């Protein structure tokens, strides 16, 4: 019940147990095509270039940035938590001229402040995390696509922690690139990174294409300044997933099965229903921890549906609480990073764990452990407050 990874849905694990097939088997082509179509539904997009990058969510981030950013390009990164720093780090390693804007952890940027930064920096790419689990808040994105379009900026976001559990509209919000991971609201294991690219992003990537020796044919593009990664070269990966089926790497078959099942389950549930499920159970958890006398961290108006941050009470040993929850109840919650390390706990309700029984069990266990630490609370208050949220949802 931490900020991710969380327990995978048993149906995803069963899908991953299927026998391997080769990447040239016609069945593999069908699986890949089905997976692309399913993720169009998850991202809410019509982008043809919607596929998987083999690797954890960071692999998708790196593939997007290294493929979209040429050395010397200006990149503007918005930082409101740990993972904004990650975007800046990767862009810097890709040779970009990186400019950052920061707000205090727990807050978000206004659209006006972002547009002002774009006017000042004149970047080729705007990179921003949607929901940063280190702070448990989500940056509003709905006005940024129009701003980026007006200023000729490619718009990229990392939706690893938010996709599937919070509203996200790839096309309606004007995103050019978005990357995710399975291990949070998508309910799967880490190891595959869904990605979607707009036609504008694809054109930018294709302009940098350089096909490697050994698989290139006469007339294929060869550049002196290729994308600065072979494995994460989206120009070649697009050919691998596209009609050419040009060999690039050996597909991670079991992860493909798992990623396909993650998307199938969400699409079958309905994206609006999945987001509402995360909102409901997240609200129940938030009200429950507040009833236990825990102060919620961050801007509640922009809190992610799927994770809540709470201040560790004075006189309570945060690590001892987490250890007791894990050892006595087999429940894991998280601490945080940087300036928040040891100051807050992060409690997740996401993916397969966005369930009533998981929320109530966690609150009951947390009450017991807090009581042992000497924290004053009203017996049953956490579970009671969460049950009230559930009662209101069916009233």
């Amino acid at each position: 019940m931490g900020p991710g990874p969380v327990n995978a849905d048993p149906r995803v694990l069963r899908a991953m147990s299927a026998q391997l097939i080769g990447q040239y088997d016609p069945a593999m082509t069908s699986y890949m095509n089905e997976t692309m179509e399913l993720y169009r539904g998850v991202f809410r997009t019509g982008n043809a270039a919607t596929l998987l990058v083999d690797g954890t969510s960071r692999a998708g981030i790196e593939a997007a940035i290294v493929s979209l950013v040429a050395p010397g390009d200006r990149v503007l990164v918005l930082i409101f938590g740990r993972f904004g720093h990650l975007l800046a780090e990767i862009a810097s390693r890709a040779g970009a001229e990186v400019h950052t804007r920061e707000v205090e952890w727990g807050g978000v940027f206004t659209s006006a402040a972002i547009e002002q930064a774009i006017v000042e920096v004149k970047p080729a790419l705007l990179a921003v995390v949607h929901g940063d689990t280190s702070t448990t808040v989500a940056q509003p994105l709905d006005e940024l696509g129009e701003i980026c379009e007006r200023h000729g900026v490619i718009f990229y976001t990392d939706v690893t922690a938010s996709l599937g559990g919070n509203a996200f509209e790839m096309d309606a919000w004007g995103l050019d690139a978005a990357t995710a991971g399975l291990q949070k609201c998508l309910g799967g294991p880490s190891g595959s990174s869904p990605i979607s690219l707009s036609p504008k992003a694809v054109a930018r990537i294709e302009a940098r294409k350089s096909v490697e020796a050994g698989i290139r044919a006469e007339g294929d593009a060869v550049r002196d300044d290729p994308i600065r990664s072979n494995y994460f070269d989206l120009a070649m990966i697009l050919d691998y997933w596209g009609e050419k089926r040009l060999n690039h790497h050996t597909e991670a078959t079991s992860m493909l099965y798992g990623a396909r099942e993650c998307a199938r389950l969400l699409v079958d549930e309905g994206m609006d229903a999945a987001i509402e499920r995360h909102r409901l159970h997240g609200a129940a958890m938030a009200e429950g921890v507040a009833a236990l006398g825990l102060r919620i961290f961050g801007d509640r108006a922009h809190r992610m549906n799927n994770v809540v941050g709470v201040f560790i009470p004075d006189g309570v040993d945060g690590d001892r609480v987490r250890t007791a929850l894990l050892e006595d109840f087999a429940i894991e919650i998280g601490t945080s990073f940087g300036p928040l390390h040891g100051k807050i706990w992060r409690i997740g309700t996401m993916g397969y764990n966005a369930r009533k029984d998981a929320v109530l069990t966690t609150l009951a266990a947390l009450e017991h452990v807090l009581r042992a630490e000497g924290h004053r609370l009203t017996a049953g208050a956490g579970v009671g407050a969460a049950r009230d949220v559930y009662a209101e949802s069916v009233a």
Side-chain angles (χ1 to χ4, degrees), residues 166-242:
N166 302 265
F168 180 72
E169 301 282 345
M170 178 100 192
D171 289 354
W173 294 352
L175 270 297
D176 291 304
T179 62
L182 306 184
Q183 72 272 20
K184 298 183 188 279
C185 299
L186 272 62
S190 180
S192 185
S193 182
I195 181 171
S196 188
L197 303 164
S198 73
K200 185 196 301 182
V202 171
R204 186 177 181 86
I205 292 166
E206 291 284 349
R208 304 184 65 207
K209 178 187 286 188
S210 185
V211 180
E212 67 186 58
I215 61 171
R216 75 171 68 115
E218 186 177 351
D220 281 345
V222 181
R223 293 177 60 94
D224 293 331
D225 57 343
I227 290 169
R228 288 193 167 188
S229 172
N230 178 287
Y231 188 71
F232 295 132
D233 184 334
L234 286 177
M236 289 199 288
I237 293 174
L238 286 169
D239 278 344
Y240 179 61
W241 280 77

Side-chain angles (χ1 to χ4, degrees), residues 64-88:
I65 292 177
V66 78
S67 299
L68 287 166
V69 175
D73 281 349
R74 289 186 179 182
V75 173
L76 174 62
V77 181
L78 307 180
I79 300 174
F80 58 98
R82 176 199 168 181
F83 295 103
H85 286 289
L86 175 64
L87 301 188

Side-chain angles (χ1 to χ4, degrees), residues 29-100:
T29 298
S30 295
Y31 284 136
M32 293 170 80
N33 288 339
E34 289 169 11
T35 301
M36 294 170 76
E37 183 58 29
L38 286 166
Y39 275 100
R40 292 183 189 112
V42 174
F43 280 107
R44 301 279 184 108
T45 185
N47 290 337
T50 302
L51 52 139
L52 304 176
V53 174
D54 288 337
T56 65
S57 51
R58 188 174 299 215
I61 296 169
E62 186 147 346
I65 292 177
V66 78
S67 299
L68 287 166
V69 175
D73 281 349
R74 289 186 179 182
V75 173
L76 174 62
V77 181
L78 307 180
I79 300 174
F80 58 98
R82 176 199 168 181
F83 295 103
H85 286 289
L86 175 64
L87 301 188
E89 160 92 6
I90 293 173
S92 177
R93 288 182 180 231
E97 179 187 317
V98 179
H99 298 256
T100 62

Side-chain angles (χ1 to χ4, degrees), residues 236-319:
M236 289 199 288
I237 293 174
L238 286 169
D239 278 344
Y240 179 61
W241 280 77
E243 292 183 4
K244 288 184 178 180
R245 300 292 174 193
L246 188 63
N247 180 259
H248 179 255
H249 63 279
T250 301
E251 183 57 35
T253 309
S254 297
M255 287 309 308
L256 174 65
Y257 296 158
R260 176 181 177 274
E261 186 69 356
C262 288
R264 187 190 70 79
L265 293 173
L266 279 173
V267 171
D268 281 358
E269 180 181 5
M271 293 307 299
D272 290 339
I275 292 164
E276 172 57 23
R277 171 168 58 85
H278 282 84
R279 187 210 62 78
L280 172 63
H281 297 300
M285 182 64 80
E287 292 302 317
V289 293
L292 291 175
L294 301 177
R295 186 161 57 96
I296 292 177
F297 171 78
D299 181 351
R300 293 195 69 172
H302 295 105
R303 188 181 68 78
M304 297 166 68
N305 288 336
N306 52 300
V307 61
V308 60
V310 295
F311 286 99
I312 299 171
D314 292 340
V316 170
D317 187 315
D319 287 341

